[in-house]
């Protein structure tokens, strides 16, 4: 399977339909992994190296730690990217902690450099980022659907 197929299969496997909220997604991931999933914003996460998110696999729970960002969309993307790793099973088996230099809206070649500096497997990263984009589209869809609803019926 290529990345596109892997990502599409992952989206279908979630059975969330075309639109959903971030909270729906969090619950689905939680249920599938049979573990609590906590999302924590850490205002003083050291972002010097462009680090903006961490997925920490603890004994009984998954913890996604993300940097503060004034942009709600960036924040969401940090979280979705980590959820994408979980959904794609990138850290299954061994305990592992993934630190991310995830910078949306920067050119891919720059991103590639940042990622390789952190010795991250680039194919894994591309898949996670691409799934995160698909998830973001689903969440955006839910927001549009809601606002359309309140426009018509509100
Ligand atoms: Zn990643």
């Amino acid at each position: 399977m290529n990345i596109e197929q892997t990502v599409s299969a992952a989206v279908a496997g979630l059975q969330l339909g075309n639109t959903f909220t971030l909270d729906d997604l969090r619950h689905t991931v939680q249920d599938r992994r049979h573990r609590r999933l906590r999302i924590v914003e850490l205002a003083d996460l050291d972002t010097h190296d462009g680090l903006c998110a961490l997925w920490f696999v603890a004994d009984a729970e998954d913890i996604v730690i993300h940097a503060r960002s004034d942009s709600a969309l960036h924040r969401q993307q940090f979280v979705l990217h980590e959820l994408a790793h979980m959904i794609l099973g990138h850290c299954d088996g061994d305990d592992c902690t993934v630190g991310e230099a995830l910078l949306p809206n920067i050119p891919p070649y720059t991103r590639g450099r940042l990622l390789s500096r952190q010795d991250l497997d680039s194919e894994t990263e591309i898949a996670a980022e691409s799934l995160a984009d698909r998830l973001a589209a689903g969440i955006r869809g839910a927001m549009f659907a809601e606002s359309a609803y309140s426009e018509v019926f509100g």
Side-chain angles (χ1 to χ4, degrees):
M1 279 206 290
N2 63 30
I3 289 178
E4 185 63 39
Q5 288 167 324
T6 306
V7 167
S8 294
V11 172
L14 289 171
Q15 299 182 304
L16 280 166
N18 290 327
T19 59
F20 44 85
T21 65
L22 180 57
D23 220 42
D24 294 337
L25 182 64
R26 193 173 66 85
H27 280 111
T28 301
V29 172
Q30 209 166 232
D31 288 351
R32 281 169 48 134
R33 293 176 57 78
H34 306 290
R35 293 157 63 84
R36 198 157 93 93
L37 169 60
R38 269 202 294 156
I39 297 171
V40 180
E41 179 177 284
L42 199 63
D44 52 1
L45 184 66
D46 183 2
T47 52
H48 261 87
D49 285 318
L51 184 77
C52 55
L54 277 171
W55 167 21
F56 180 63
V57 182
D59 281 346
E61 60 182 359
D62 293 301
I63 307 170
V64 171
I65 299 166
H66 64 87
R68 248 198 68 73
S69 167
D70 289 335
S71 158
L73 275 181
H74 279 188
R75 234 166 22 233
Q76 178 178 285
Q77 188 74 8
F78 298 162
V79 172
L80 290 179
H81 180 97
E82 300 306 323
L83 296 186
H85 277 305
M86 293 178 202
I87 294 163
L88 293 167
H90 285 162
C91 254
D92 288 353
D94 297 307
D95 279 9
C96 77
T97 295
V98 181
E100 304 278 6
L102 208 200
L103 302 170
N105 305 327
I106 60 170
Y109 67 90
T110 311
R111 191 186 291 182
R113 260 203 336 252
L114 281 170
L115 292 173
S116 61
R117 201 179 63 205
Q118 295 212 330
D119 291 327
L120 296 174
D121 179 304
S122 59
E123 197 152 300
T124 311
E125 287 313 313
I126 293 164
E129 191 58 8
S130 150
L131 177 54
D133 288 344
R134 294 276 292 270
L135 297 173
I139 292 172
R140 248 191 336 266
M143 287 187 315
F144 279 135
E146 232 168 71
S147 62
Y149 185 86
S150 58
E151 257 171 47
V152 177
F153 300 102

